[in-house]
Amino acid sequence: MYKWFFISTYRYYSRFKNETPRVSATAVVTVSQFVTTLFLLVLVRRLGVWDFTVYVHSKFIAVPIMLTWMAIVYRYYSMEKITLLLKRFEEFPKWRRRFWGIMSLILFLLPMILCGFATSSIAHFL
């Protein structure tokens, strides 16, 4: 699933002249995965299953974790893999390419919105 998310984001950023599409797509995928993980942790905490905040002593611990994960994602999507995925992506019908473009936006924004709701006081009423 994330490979098509990555490729549709890569294609979007490759349209701009002063943009590095591989780094930008990697950053978008990393942020999306990180916020989704954060949302699941907050949800688990809200449900009273596990309080992960006991193990976190600094809020800045997320920065090295996120940078490390971004480096892993960047290395995973090598230029050879990107070329192969782009070739396969171009073979999709137009509706399917648009679908993945819309899903990229949804997969990026929805976890952030849900995480905001889960951490706010509105979550008590849901």
Side-chain angles (χ1 to χ4, degrees):
M1 176 178 83
Y2 276 105
K3 65 183 175 185
W4 304 126
F5 176 28
F6 178 87
I7 287 301
S8 63
T9 307
Y10 181 89
R11 283 188 68 217
Y12 173 76
Y13 281 111
S14 64
R15 295 178 188 167
F16 303 108
K17 193 175 225 175
N18 295 329
E19 192 70 40
T20 54
R22 184 176 173 196
V23 174
S24 300
T26 300
V28 169
V29 168
T30 302
V31 168
S32 176
Q33 290 175 339
F34 192 77
V35 173
T36 301
T37 304
L38 182 64
F39 168 67
L40 292 174
L41 286 172
V42 167
L43 192 63
V44 166
R45 182 174 180 236
R46 282 280 183 194
L47 294 173
V49 177
W50 180 54
D51 187 12
F52 68 93
T53 57
V54 175
Y55 303 105
V56 179
H57 300 292
S58 172
K59 60 184 171 187
F60 298 110
I61 191 74
V63 174
I65 292 171
M66 198 166 173
L67 290 175
T68 303
W69 188 249
M70 188 172 171
I72 291 169
V73 171
Y74 184 83
R75 292 206 53 201
Y76 178 77
Y77 288 108
S78 64
M79 287 310 294
E80 295 82 24
K81 186 173 277 197
I82 291 172
T83 305
L84 291 172
L85 287 173
L86 275 173
K87 188 182 294 185
R88 285 182 56 199
F89 193 77
E90 291 297 326
E91 294 171 357
F92 287 168
K94 189 173 185 171
W95 68 267
R96 193 167 178 191
R97 290 190 305 245
R98 280 193 180 161
F99 169 78
W100 280 109
I102 293 168
M103 285 302 294
S104 297
L105 187 62
I106 291 171
L107 287 172
F108 184 71
L109 293 176
L110 187 63
M112 291 181 200
I113 294 168
L114 291 175
C115 194
F117 278 127
T119 57
S120 70
S121 60
I122 297 173
H124 289 287
F125 298 110
L126 295 178

